[in-house]
Amino acid sequence: MGVLAIVAGWAFILIIMLVASYLLQAFSIYYVLKNLSYPEPLLAFIPFANMYALSSIVPSYNDGKVYVTATIGIKREVFNIWWLIAILVTMIPAVGWILSLIIRIPCYTRIIQYVYAVFDKRREEEETILAIVSAIFPIIFFIRCLIYMFSKTRP
């Protein structure tokens, strides 16, 4: 009986930590979306819809593309669902996770680069290295957004 109580206690603590982590992430995305005048910032609280909303805030150029590098442009409609494509390619046996990283890192880097540049009032090129690291370790992005939120940083 004692082992079961210990397992239940750890499970409860884990659930509390997961809910707290989700809420911190959602509030940080909400803050970004609200301050960048996204029309539906409450999408930050809906899984996967929050990635769509973050993708939508990145500006596209006159040719209707979002440039993830200096030469690689992705049509706006495809860029908005890059996260869905990244999830789907993981289902390809053996190489799916590699393809997912090839999609995820440049697209997520572009979003993060834009957000950092706007909130730090700097050029996007100056935020490239930190954006790449933040795309590889997304916790950095959410911590940085929470710092913006608690320091009342406005774009």
Side-chain angles (χ1 to χ4, degrees):
M1 203 51 120
V3 172
L4 187 58
I6 292 172
V7 170
W10 280 106
F12 180 74
I13 290 171
L14 180 64
I15 289 170
I16 295 297
M17 290 174 57
L18 288 172
V19 168
S21 172
Y22 168 76
L23 288 174
L24 285 173
Q25 176 184 344
F27 277 110
S28 66
I29 293 173
Y30 175 80
Y31 181 80
V32 167
L33 294 176
K34 184 177 176 194
N35 282 287
L36 293 178
S37 301
Y38 187 74
E40 298 292 333
L42 288 175
L43 288 178
F45 294 94
I46 302 171
F48 302 114
N50 57 13
M51 290 311 297
Y52 178 84
L54 280 174
S55 299
S56 298
I57 63 172
V58 178
S60 55
Y61 290 88
N62 293 337
D63 59 358
K65 292 182 179 179
V66 175
Y67 284 86
V68 294
T69 68
T71 57
I72 300 173
I74 301 173
K75 285 210 160 285
R76 161 60 65 196
E77 297 80 17
V78 176
F79 185 78
N80 286 350
I81 59 166
W82 68 266
W83 49 271
L84 180 62
I85 296 166
I87 290 170
L88 292 175
V89 299
T90 58
M91 296 177 193
I92 299 171
V95 296
W97 68 274
I98 295 170
L99 294 174
S100 178
L101 285 176
I102 291 170
I103 295 168
R104 185 178 72 86
I105 291 176
C107 292
Y108 203 40
T109 297
R110 181 65 184 103
I111 294 167
I112 294 170
Q113 184 181 27
Y114 176 72
V115 171
Y116 286 174
V118 169
F119 277 88
D120 292 339
K121 296 172 181 62
R122 298 172 69 182
R123 292 187 358 254
E124 291 179 20
E125 296 79 22
E126 296 177 83
E127 302 289 349
T128 303
I129 300 299
L130 184 58
I132 292 169
V133 173
S134 297
I136 295 169
F137 303 104
I139 188 74
I140 297 170
F141 174 64
F142 297 116
I143 290 171
R144 190 120 184 237
C145 290
L146 288 171
I147 292 169
Y148 293 145
M149 185 168 70
F150 290 116
S151 68
K152 306 286 190 230
T153 303
R154 301 277 187 261

